[in-house]
């Protein structure tokens, strides 16, 4: 298994908040290595993600395959039109925070 900067377990805050709403569609910005998207898919969510890192994308897709889930992951800088179309799908939207994990500040971009 490749090295994952923040591991393969979901962000603690993300996991807690996801439990509060019924599964549906979710858009994950700056998804990175896919830990949150894969977790959401395991919980029954229809996951759409995007980020700019090719390495993060590769790791996310590998993790999804290992967990036998599907995530729709767009790679690269997204146009305003593409993001508006993504948002038009509806559902929850999660954005990276700067204080999301317990035990100090996590300065990642959302994964």
């Amino acid at each position: 298994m490749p090295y994952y900067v923040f591991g393969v377990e979901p962000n603690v805050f993300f996991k807690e908040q996801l439990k509060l709403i019924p599964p549906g569609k979710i858009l994950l910005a700056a998804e990175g290595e896919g830990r949150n998207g894969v977790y959401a898919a395991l919980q029954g969510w229809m996951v759409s993600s995007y980020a700019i890192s090719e390495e993060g994308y590769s790791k996310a897709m590998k993790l999804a395959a290992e967990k036998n889930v599907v995530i729709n992951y767009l790679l690269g800088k997204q146009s305003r039109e593409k993001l508006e179309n993504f948002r038009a799908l509806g559902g929850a939207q999660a954005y990276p925070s700067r204080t999301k994990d317990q035990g100090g500040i996590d300065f990642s971009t959302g994964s």
Side-chain angles (χ1 to χ4, degrees):
M1 182 161 84
Y3 171 74
Y4 289 81
V5 176
F6 299 102
V8 296
E9 295 302 315
N11 167 278
V12 173
F13 180 78
F14 179 81
K15 183 177 179 179
E16 290 172 356
Q17 297 306 303
L18 205 63
K19 290 178 185 177
L20 301 176
I21 48 180
K25 298 175 185 175
I26 189 165
L27 173 60
L28 300 171
E31 175 56 0
E33 297 175 337
R35 66 183 180 142
N36 293 327
V38 168
Y39 174 78
L42 285 167
Q43 304 308 307
W45 287 82
M46 183 185 302
V47 178
S48 294
S49 303
Y50 64 93
I52 60 172
S53 168
E54 290 183 26
E55 186 174 352
Y57 169 83
S58 295
K59 290 178 181 180
M61 299 313 288
K62 182 171 179 58
L63 183 60
E66 288 173 0
K67 300 289 186 174
N68 201 31
V69 296
V70 175
I71 57 174
N72 177 25
Y73 195 120
L74 295 179
L75 176 62
K77 187 173 180 179
Q78 304 304 312
S79 68
R80 180 181 178 116
E81 179 184 5
K82 191 171 273 189
L83 291 176
E84 287 174 354
N85 290 337
F86 230 178
R87 285 183 163 183
L89 295 174
Q93 297 178 30
Y95 295 93
S97 72
R98 295 296 178 228
T99 57
K100 52 191 174 166
D101 288 318
Q102 296 174 0
I105 298 175
D106 177 353
F107 286 99
S108 74
T109 58
S111 178

